Amino acid sequence: MPVVLSQRALNRATLARQMLLERRKATVTQAIEKLAGLQAQAPNPPYFALWSRLEGFRREQLTEALKKRRIVRMSTMRATLHLMAASDALAWRPLLEPVHQRGLAGEHARALEGIDRAAVVKAGRALLRESALTGSELGQALAALWKDRQPASLAALIRNNVPLVHLPPAGSWNSHQSARLQPIGQWLGESAAEVAAATQDDLLLRYLGAFGPATLADVGAWSGLTGWKGVAERLRPRLRVFAGEQGQELFDLPRAPRPGPDAPAPPRLVAEWDNLLLSHADRSRVMSEAHRGRVFTVNGIVRGTVLLDGFVAGTWKIERAKNAATVVLEPFARWSQADRLGVQQEAMRLLAFAADGEGERHDVRIS
């Protein structure tokens, strides 16, 4: 019979893989490889995600990695924006084509009905070879050729058929201008030809290294891909299999860290849209379902969260005024005095990391 892992055991294993039990010494590229990418809808959350995981992390380290093309920002898992190590982006993106094709359903599918999609994609590639373009510029240029079509849907067709990098400074700290887009092979040059496409077997092993032990539904929720049962059966001799408290089958790498359920978990401020909350079908290993509505908002925001004893216990945000910044904490239940002190200290460290300039006043408020 497989060993049964409690929710706390799953929690500690996941936090260990996600570098949230203790900060690690690693380069930005090493960390993002280990984490199997970082969710990156907005520019600043990946910086906070790395700050919460890496010892001595500085903002310029990620900015430099983006400029030096070691890290790229592009649509990958679930057809959402991620920061990826360049080699992983090249290897994984071909596998994720079905996910991106599903992104053309609904309104875009109706707007593109009857069009020669191959011809549009060919024209889009030609335009992007000439120069990097924003999505709006790309759509307008294509609409000049297909005058009866919506620019936004024409641009969406290219985004979902061509692996496009968001060129820096897009994705850098406090950078909010529209991203200029370029095919990844063009952006990475000769190095792109040296990377072989990954298999779905490779992807499962990398996922388990970052998020395991996990069910096949979990890896499907993270990737957006289907067909994991056959992959798991093929790899079963190389994997270790556990059972969850509800009897679910959990797969893992044999030598991956699995700390005991009582391993200490210090207070952590986890970024908006953090991988920790978006990479499992069942999030109960880190968050109670009762708290979901206070973290996942109706307009698609995933709020920054406070971890106490490894589990989501509240949310945080930074409010700025003239020459002042305050971390506002919202507990989901009363925190002990020790927990309050630990979170407040972590919040002050976060403000020092995020400071906009010298002399900025910092404070922490519990709402």
Side-chain angles (χ1 to χ4, degrees):
M1 294 292 292
V3 173
V4 175
L5 295 179
S6 67
Q7 287 297 95
R8 285 185 64 86
L10 285 176
N11 173 272
R12 294 311 195 252
T14 305
L15 295 182
R17 317 287 170 92
Q18 285 290 302
M19 307 182 191
L20 289 167
L21 285 185
E22 57 181 353
R23 286 180 167 91
R24 305 281 183 83
K25 290 183 178 179
T27 68
V28 164
T29 304
Q30 288 169 341
I32 292 177
E33 285 177 339
K34 174 69 175 172
L35 296 167
L38 278 178
Q39 193 96 0
Q41 282 99 323
N44 289 0
Y47 287 81
F48 289 120
L50 290 171
W51 169 82
S52 67
R53 290 165 164 89
L54 294 182
E55 190 175 305
F57 172 68
R58 304 183 312 279
R59 297 192 318 234
E60 57 267 27
Q61 291 174 303
L62 176 53
T63 301
E64 189 70 8
L66 287 163
K67 289 179 180 177
K68 292 290 182 65
R69 311 184 191 202
R70 294 191 290 267
I71 300 298
V72 297
R73 185 188 195 219
M74 65 183 300
S75 176
T76 53
M77 286 73 73
R78 305 182 302 283
T80 56
L81 285 175
H82 282 75
L83 296 188
M84 303 286 295
S87 58
D88 283 343
L90 285 163
W92 295 11
R93 186 56 166 76
L95 273 177
L96 297 165
E97 284 305 310
V99 184
H100 289 81
Q101 292 305 312
R102 292 200 299 271
L104 285 170
E107 182 180 341
H108 288 316
R110 291 189 293 273
L112 295 168
E113 189 173 346
I115 202 168
D116 185 342
R117 294 191 176 197
V120 178
V121 171
K122 183 178 179 180
R125 287 184 182 274
L127 288 165
L128 292 167
R129 273 197 300 271
E130 292 178 10
S131 66
L133 300 171
T134 66
S136 177
E137 291 169 343
L138 179 60
Q140 292 296 334
L142 291 167
L145 302 173
W146 282 270
K147 294 182 171 57
D148 60 335
R149 303 291 179 160
Q150 293 295 321
S153 294
L154 293 169
L157 179 59
I158 307 304
R159 285 198 304 270
N160 284 277
N161 282 274
V162 182
L164 298 176
V165 174
H166 288 212
L167 303 190
S172 301
W173 181 261
N174 277 347
S175 175
H176 297 282
Q177 67 263 50
S178 296
R180 304 192 76 78
L181 309 173
Q182 190 173 75
I184 187 171
Q186 201 170 330
W187 176 243
L188 296 180
E190 293 181 3
S191 63
E194 301 170 4
V195 178
T199 67
Q200 207 164 337
D201 292 25
D202 299 327
L203 211 57
L204 177 59
L205 296 174
R206 289 291 298 278
Y207 171 78
L208 293 176
F211 299 104
T215 66
L216 300 184
D218 290 330
V219 68
W222 167 76
S223 65
L225 291 171
T226 59
W228 290 107
K229 184 176 181 180
V231 176
E233 290 307 316
R234 188 162 56 247
L235 291 178
R236 189 178 287 269
R238 297 171 55 185
L239 301 175
R240 186 160 179 196
V241 181
F242 297 92
E245 290 180 332
Q246 308 304 316
Q248 69 273 33
E249 194 171 43
L250 298 162
F251 294 90
D252 203 7
L253 306 180
R255 298 180 181 275
R258 286 179 292 274
D262 295 324
R268 286 285 184 262
L269 300 185
V270 176
E272 292 177 297
W273 289 291
D274 198 276
N275 293 24
L276 184 69
L277 297 183
L278 293 169
S279 301
H280 297 89
D282 179 1
R283 299 183 178 94
S284 62
R285 68 179 65 200
V286 291
M287 183 180 71
S288 165
E289 186 62 26
H291 298 150
R292 178 186 174 88
R294 302 177 75 172
V295 175
F296 291 75
T297 71
V298 293
N299 58 349
I301 303 296
V302 181
R303 300 175 69 188
T305 53
V306 179
L307 299 186
L308 287 175
D309 190 29
F311 292 88
V312 172
T315 61
W316 67 270
K317 63 181 178 180
I318 296 178
E319 291 185 350
R320 294 189 181 277
K322 186 177 180 180
N323 202 35
T326 301
V327 170
V328 180
L329 302 167
E330 183 184 326
F332 293 161
R334 183 177 294 277
W335 294 345
S336 71
Q337 185 174 355
D339 284 340
R340 288 168 66 98
L341 179 61
V343 175
Q344 287 171 325
Q345 291 173 338
E346 187 78 346
M348 289 300 288
R349 289 189 284 266
L350 180 142
L351 287 170
F353 167 78
D356 274 347
E358 293 184 8
E360 184 179 73
R361 298 189 309 277
H362 293 162
D363 194 12
V364 179
R365 184 173 80 246
I366 299 180
S367 71

